[in-house]
Amino acid sequence: MSEKHVPSDWILSDRPERPEEACGVFGVYATGEDVARLAYFGLHALQHRGQESAGIAVADGHTLMVVKNLGLVPQVFTESDLDSLQGFLAVGHTRYSTTGASKKWENAQPMISSIGPNTIALAHNGNLVNTASLRDELSALGTRFRSTTDSEVIVRLVDHFTQQHHSIRGGIRDAMRMMRGAYSVVMMSEEALYAFRDPYGVRPLSLGRLPDERGWVVASETCALDIVGAEYVRDIAPGELVRVKDGVLDSEQAVSPAKPGLCIFEFVYFARPDSVLYGRSLYEARRLQGASLATTAPVEADLVIGVPDSGVPGAVGYAQASGIPFGEGLVKNRYVGRTFISPTQSLRQQGIRLKLNPLKHIIEGQRLVVVDDSIVRGNTSRKLVQLLREAGAAEVHMRLTSPPVVWPCFYGIDTDTQDQLIAANHSVEEIAEFIGADSLAYLSLDELVASTGRPADEFCRACFDGEYPIEVPESVRRGKLALEPGA
């Protein structure tokens, strides 16, 4: 496939190569604890889920305060900020927006709103697919909006129904019955913590307990429970609403659970390898994915390397199953994220070198198996292969621990319309030629599912097979969203 057949924006685009998750959420109820610092470190563990803004809200039973801003967690919060956030309740959020307006302070979370005599703070991970219709209905009732996110629509919807019920739980319950799409939410008033999840459970949400029954923690991933010393108890169930008040946890099935639909890409890339989903270690799942590739897509090579960080467990599995030595051929600069300081044009031309640097003395003259998690547009993989060639690699064989991404996501992941997904428009051989690899192989969907230890019908697999568990309006499928997803 010659370059002239490839859309120019695949080559020139600065958009992320991998699908990007949309936000991490964290909530804690713990009397006598420094909940602001617990939330800070919880968000630190969830930084990979959102790198554009961060926020923490804290309440003490009477008042609610929030600190939020654009930037990474360590950039947003100072010691004095955390000292000022005193209370026994906290909700935190790290944000990645899936469309524009990421650099608007108004879209940073937690979202704060007055609901009757109460003030609430809400943090949301996911994406509603009926945002526009809900906003229109609320606007017709006189509701005014300050941001452009679906997360604020959730806030206003809860507000609307709370006023009818004179009960926050009743307001959440009715709001959940109206919302369509993916949502894992932590929310608090001045005196209670709430957590609720869509009936499909598309986005993860875990419940933990602090030692000696000192309090409860809710987080997007179990790694955030680990960092604050909380013991994992269970997942918040699809359609479940949990409240912690006066130290007591109450649960109800607010909406009937649907067919399970956890995003299977959590097992490929989104979740940290030290997290657990469906009872399975993410590291172990990714190691098994690499081992499967060694069986289904073997190749004669001298060294197996992983693309940091998500490709490394798969590379370990490939090496173990194939008998080819594993080596560290790429060093990642972990301090280069979505910085707000733009590189110069000459640095931009270095592209992937800002994040990855090859170890030439390891790579030179070697036939490499390079394990990565996915290829979406092809830009980064093309630059990576070129980087390895320049470092002296004799051969580069790409192996991916996911099937081809051929369908866009509408539930909170940043993938384009189908014409921008390289695997939707070109064969494996053509993609290999475009990125410059000697060979390219993907993990099959069946093998990916097998690595999770769960049946296929417990996952949303839409980005791979086009079967969307939640009906998506045609206007949303065409990319004509009136609002941007906020979480």
Side-chain angles (χ1 to χ4, degrees):
M1 180 179 62
S2 63
E3 190 171 300
K4 66 182 180 181
H5 292 137
V6 181
S8 61
D9 51 1
W10 282 352
I11 301 169
L12 301 176
S13 173
D14 291 323
R15 299 191 64 188
E17 164 62 21
R18 292 175 171 85
E20 294 294 336
E21 234 286 338
C23 306
V25 298
F26 185 90
V28 56
Y29 185 111
T31 55
E33 299 289 329
D34 189 342
V35 293
R37 278 178 169 75
L38 291 178
Y40 174 86
F41 288 108
L43 294 185
H44 224 294
L46 299 173
Q47 185 74 86
H48 60 289
R49 297 187 80 91
Q51 302 170 12
E52 293 177 353
S53 66
I56 295 172
V58 170
D60 61 5
H62 304 285
T63 60
L64 189 152
M65 295 179 59
V66 64
V67 174
K68 61 180 179 178
N69 214 331
L70 304 176
L72 302 174
V73 173
Q75 295 171 323
V76 170
F77 303 104
T78 65
E79 285 284 345
S80 59
D81 289 331
L82 299 178
D83 288 339
S84 70
L85 294 172
Q86 296 295 314
F88 58 87
L89 274 167
V91 163
H93 188 266
T94 61
R95 180 172 188 262
Y96 176 79
S97 65
T98 49
T99 57
S102 60
K103 295 185 180 180
K104 291 182 66 175
W105 183 89
E106 293 83 357
N107 290 346
Q109 296 187 34
M111 292 273 179
I112 307 298
S113 179
S114 295
I115 294 183
N118 296 108
T119 303
I120 66 163
L122 180 144
H124 165 219
N125 176 26
N127 180 32
L128 302 184
V129 297
N130 64 335
T131 304
S133 61
L134 289 175
R135 184 179 175 115
D136 289 345
E137 291 179 40
L138 290 167
S139 296
L141 295 171
T143 301
R144 299 181 65 182
F145 293 86
R146 294 191 298 176
S147 75
T148 59
T149 69
D150 60 346
S151 303
E152 189 183 7
V153 171
I154 298 176
V155 171
R156 303 305 173 200
L157 203 61
V158 172
D159 183 6
H160 173 74
F161 287 115
T162 296
Q163 292 183 46
Q164 293 184 4
H165 286 274
H166 305 291
S167 159
I168 292 178
R169 272 203 291 186
I172 294 171
R173 191 185 305 119
D174 279 5
M176 291 174 70
R177 292 168 181 166
M178 297 288 291
M179 295 187 292
R180 301 289 180 268
Y183 55 88
S184 286
V185 176
V186 292
M187 189 186 101
M188 71 179 189
S189 64
E190 294 93 340
E191 55 186 17
L193 176 70
Y194 303 86
F196 51 100
R197 195 174 178 203
D198 71 78
Y200 292 84
V202 177
R203 300 280 152 238
L205 194 59
S206 299
L207 175 68
R209 193 78 190 266
L210 290 171
D212 302 321
E213 300 184 350
R214 297 199 310 269
W216 296 92
V217 181
V218 181
S220 291
E221 291 183 36
T222 61
C223 64
L225 304 180
D226 296 337
I227 201 171
V228 300
E231 181 180 359
Y232 169 74
V233 175
R234 62 177 178 85
D235 290 339
I236 302 296
E240 183 182 12
L241 165 59
V242 167
R243 184 189 71 170
V244 183
K245 185 177 182 180
D246 299 326
V248 178
L249 184 143
D250 295 314
S251 168
E252 63 177 281
Q253 193 67 47
V255 294
S256 297
K259 186 177 180 180
L262 177 68
C263 173
I264 200 168
F265 224 97
E266 296 283 351
F267 280 85
V268 176
Y269 172 63
F270 296 142
R272 273 181 30 169
D274 52 335
S275 287
V276 175
L277 286 172
Y278 276 165
R280 170 77 83 180
S281 156
L282 272 295
Y283 183 93
E284 178 62 11
R286 291 169 188 172
R287 188 192 68 80
L288 290 172
Q289 292 160 18
S292 293
L293 279 169
T295 301
T296 59
V299 66
E300 290 189 7
D302 305 306
L303 189 69
V304 181
I305 66 172
V307 179
D309 289 310
S310 54
V312 173
V316 170
Y318 194 105
Q320 290 172 340
S322 67
I324 302 171
F326 168 81
E328 187 175 355
L330 293 163
V331 174
K332 182 178 181 180
N333 181 356
R334 288 172 173 81
Y335 296 93
V336 177
R338 287 185 183 80
T339 175
F340 290 94
I341 307 300
S342 299
T344 64
Q345 180 60 28
S346 61
L347 282 174
R348 284 169 63 85
Q349 290 173 351
Q350 295 293 319
I352 198 171
R353 287 184 185 272
L354 287 172
K355 294 185 178 181
L356 295 174
N357 203 32
L359 293 169
K360 293 184 179 180
H361 69 286
I362 300 292
I363 290 170
E364 191 169 14
Q366 300 295 295
R367 298 171 297 171
L368 302 179
V369 175
V370 182
V371 180
D372 204 355
D373 55 79
S374 61
I375 294 177
V376 178
R377 300 171 188 89
N379 303 322
T380 300
S381 298
R382 180 183 175 95
K383 294 173 184 176
L384 174 63
V385 173
Q386 181 181 357
L387 193 70
L388 295 171
R389 299 274 193 207
E390 291 171 355
E395 297 176 9
V396 179
H397 301 275
M398 290 291 297
R399 296 294 181 266
L400 303 173
T401 56
S402 69
V405 177
V406 293
W407 296 89
C409 177
F410 303 103
Y411 307 139
I413 298 175
D414 182 18
T415 51
D416 289 297
T417 54
Q418 208 168 11
D419 63 350
Q420 287 288 307
L421 301 174
I422 192 169
N425 300 279
H426 297 280
S427 68
V428 174
E429 292 74 18
E430 288 174 326
I431 298 169
E433 183 179 348
F434 171 67
I435 67 174
D438 293 282
S439 70
L440 169 66
Y442 292 85
L443 191 70
S444 74
L445 184 53
D446 287 344
E447 290 163 339
L448 173 58
V449 170
S451 75
T452 70
R454 307 290 285 218
D457 60 5
E458 292 190 3
F459 293 99
C460 174
R461 312 173 306 277
C463 57
F464 302 129
D465 63 13
E467 296 181 11
Y468 295 94
I470 306 169
E471 184 178 355
V472 181
E474 186 59 32
S475 60
V476 177
R477 287 179 180 266
R478 294 196 303 267
K480 295 183 178 180
L481 281 169
L483 301 173
E484 67 165 314

